[in-house]
Amino acid sequence: MWFAGFAKAARGLVTALPVLASILGGGKALAQNDEALRWYTQGLQALEARRFSEARTLLQQAVQADPTFAGAWLDLAIAANADGDPVEAEEFLAILEARFAVPPVIAQRVSELRSVIQRRRNIEARAWVWSAMLQAGTGFDTNANAGLAQSDLTLTFPGGSVVLPIADTQRPRHDGYFASSMLVEGQRPSESGQYEVAASLRSRANAHLHAYDTIDFQTALAYAGGGPAFDGRVPFVAGPWRVAATLQRLWLGNSTLLDSASFSAVHAWPSLRCTPQGGIELSVRHFPVASNLDSHLVWLTGSATCDSPWAGPGARTTAQVRVGYESGRGNFATPAGRPGDDTRHYEATLLQRWGWEGRQGNHRVEAQVQWARAEDTQGYSPLLASNAARRVSRWTGALSYSHPLGVLPVLGGGWLATGTLQAFRQQSNLELFRLRGEVIQLSLQKNW
């Protein structure tokens, strides 16, 4: 999803910072005496547990016991800002830079903390806060043309069945590609929540199969409430709520493949374990190249995210279930009717994340598996399996690792390198929809 989630109080938006002192040239080893190290260890534990006032007191004790303990000064600045005192946080950062030779990696982190402090000020002033992401990479796709897994196709005619060989051009063709994406987001707090806007542009250019190049443009406007809706009179659905409107255009080759407009409403229950969410999304889809595929689509979604210590340190698990119903916009009995008419959709996704802090920043590993099924309510085509209703099942698995690169020559800091492996298998009672493929991609990402 584009947006970070539901709006909270201004303080909650800016206090989710990693502990940075452990990457400052040896971290705890910079303490010159046991007393300072003891105070620092306790302060670090309080900071990681988000007990910011306590962490601030303990880290002040650490720098009093050893004023040369650079790592403690840095974490003290983080604790002060998280505790709602950005002025003192900047004073601690000034002390750090004045007294110590700060390496480039830490200078980048200090700059990030100052950006967070400025973000707090913008929020308190109810100004727009903007962020951006740029990603570029290269990859290899074993099925760049969405080719059929079968070598032949059985067609049914009144006089019997005919086996039609599938041309090599319609079989899976591998190709390399270059992919890029840009995302710009803005948030503006209000008295009871925040307004959100976003725009993204993603593209993929194949090395040879340019008829399958894609461009995906999306823009969205949303409002995320920070408190109970309906004055809290309906307890179970009091909120917070987030409502959004999204427009999308997708190009394939040189043609517009899809135009869609969506409206969604999502409710969260933050007081419950794993912060479950539930929502509804309504979409209108138009296919300029084949208007008989036009449809209305309704999704009901439920999800939850939990810490999962059983999977290792820093592990979090997200589970999501979606049920949808897609209806054709034309009369099925006419030439403008949608093949298969209405379609029932079912989807389940499981995402496992691991994150840990390294010398250059935060490392992240993500593993995802998704199952999806679509079932038509009418026969898809008289030429396929005697006009049987289409049933399609798809499994997708992905594994990615993101490695922070620190400060790069010329490019500066804040870059991530990400490697991704993905595979999918699609089965169907109709041979035309049996697909498979694998993708490997390496990319660089920068956030502002």
Side-chain angles (χ1 to χ4, degrees):
M1 300 297 291
W2 280 0
F3 297 101
F6 294 97
K8 299 180 181 177
R11 174 174 167 175
L13 290 172
V14 297
T15 53
L17 288 173
V19 176
L20 303 181
S22 61
I23 63 172
L24 182 56
K28 298 178 183 180
L30 293 178
Q32 300 300 310
N33 59 68
D34 292 339
E35 181 185 0
L37 183 57
R38 184 171 63 256
W39 288 117
Y40 174 78
T41 302
Q42 295 176 25
L44 205 62
Q45 293 172 348
L47 186 56
E48 291 174 336
R50 301 178 68 83
R51 302 192 303 271
F52 301 124
S53 181
E54 179 185 347
R56 192 174 173 183
T57 300
L58 293 168
L59 292 168
Q60 283 176 330
Q61 295 285 349
V63 298
Q64 289 175 8
D66 180 8
T68 67
F69 191 175
W73 283 107
L74 182 55
D75 280 324
L76 180 56
I78 293 173
N81 180 65
D83 196 35
D85 194 345
V87 174
E88 189 167 85
E90 288 193 297
E91 292 177 357
F92 293 141
L93 292 178
I95 292 173
L96 174 68
E97 293 176 317
R99 294 186 180 181
F100 308 101
V102 180
V105 172
I106 304 306
Q108 173 68 23
R109 292 309 187 87
V110 170
S111 176
E112 291 173 359
L113 180 54
R114 283 203 169 99
S115 296
V116 169
I117 293 172
Q118 184 60 46
R119 175 184 173 88
R120 175 191 290 276
R121 289 173 176 159
N122 291 339
I123 289 175
E124 291 173 348
R126 293 187 184 172
W128 282 98
V129 179
W130 296 96
S131 61
M133 182 275 293
L134 172 66
Q135 186 179 61
T138 185
F140 182 81
D141 190 341
T142 63
N143 192 356
N145 63 327
L148 305 183
Q150 304 293 110
S151 59
D152 50 57
L153 187 63
T154 301
L155 303 180
T156 55
F157 293 95
S161 299
V162 174
V163 177
L164 179 68
I166 296 175
D168 290 341
T169 56
Q170 302 302 317
R171 297 272 294 149
R173 299 175 63 187
H174 60 262
D175 202 359
Y177 65 86
F178 174 80
S180 62
S181 61
M182 296 180 62
L183 170 66
V184 178
E185 294 180 314
Q187 300 174 345
R188 182 185 182 277
S190 68
E191 291 184 2
S192 57
Q194 72 178 20
Y195 298 97
E196 303 171 342
V197 296
S200 71
L201 181 66
R202 296 183 296 171
S203 67
R204 169 172 150 168
N206 294 309
H208 302 98
L209 302 175
H210 296 299
Y212 299 93
D213 293 349
T214 58
I215 299 175
D216 184 355
F217 174 74
Q218 298 187 46
T219 183
L221 174 65
Y223 180 78
F230 316 114
D231 296 325
R233 291 191 296 268
V234 188
F236 189 68
V237 292
W241 282 88
R242 179 179 179 275
V243 293
T246 304
L247 298 176
Q248 178 186 19
R249 170 164 284 189
L250 177 63
W251 288 268
L252 176 65
N254 296 320
S255 302
T256 301
L257 177 64
L258 169 67
D259 286 320
S260 70
S262 303
F263 173 81
S264 63
V266 181
H267 181 282
W269 291 268
S271 62
L272 300 182
R273 186 173 181 269
C274 300
T275 314
Q277 299 181 16
I280 184 171
E281 179 179 344
L282 310 175
S283 298
V284 178
R285 294 150 54 94
H286 170 56
F287 297 85
V289 295
S291 59
N292 63 325
L293 297 179
D294 292 357
S295 65
H296 300 92
L297 179 60
V298 180
W299 283 105
L300 296 178
T301 303
S303 66
T305 299
C306 294
D307 292 330
S308 47
W310 53 267
R316 289 178 65 81
T317 303
T318 297
Q320 177 178 271
V321 176
R322 302 209 303 165
V323 178
Y325 193 85
E326 187 173 9
S327 57
R329 296 172 64 186
N331 187 334
F332 175 68
T334 69
R338 181 173 178 266
D341 203 19
D342 297 353
T343 304
R344 293 182 290 267
H345 294 275
Y346 311 92
E347 185 180 290
T349 304
L350 186 64
L351 174 63
Q352 181 67 53
R353 302 182 183 91
W354 295 267
W356 66 95
E357 191 71 22
R359 290 184 59 84
Q360 306 293 342
N362 188 50
H363 297 249
R364 185 175 70 250
V365 172
E366 295 185 353
Q368 176 177 297
V369 61
Q370 182 183 83
W371 169 83
R373 183 172 176 84
E375 298 177 349
D376 288 345
T377 56
Q378 299 286 345
Y380 187 84
S381 169
L383 296 180
L384 298 175
S386 299
N387 203 28
R390 176 184 55 169
R391 300 185 301 276
V392 177
S393 296
R394 183 184 181 104
W395 285 93
T396 304
L399 179 66
S400 68
Y401 168 60
S402 296
H403 180 85
L405 299 178
V407 180
L408 299 178
V410 181
L411 297 177
W415 288 90
L416 282 175
T418 301
T420 302
L421 296 172
Q422 185 182 65
F424 75 90
R425 300 290 184 269
Q426 180 169 295
Q427 298 297 321
S428 175
N429 63 319
L430 304 184
E431 298 166 336
L432 184 64
F433 298 97
R434 297 175 188 174
L435 307 173
R436 60 181 297 168
E438 298 81 30
V439 174
I440 181 171
Q441 178 175 304
L442 298 174
S443 61
L444 289 176
Q445 178 178 318
K446 169 78 172 182
N447 294 294
W448 290 272

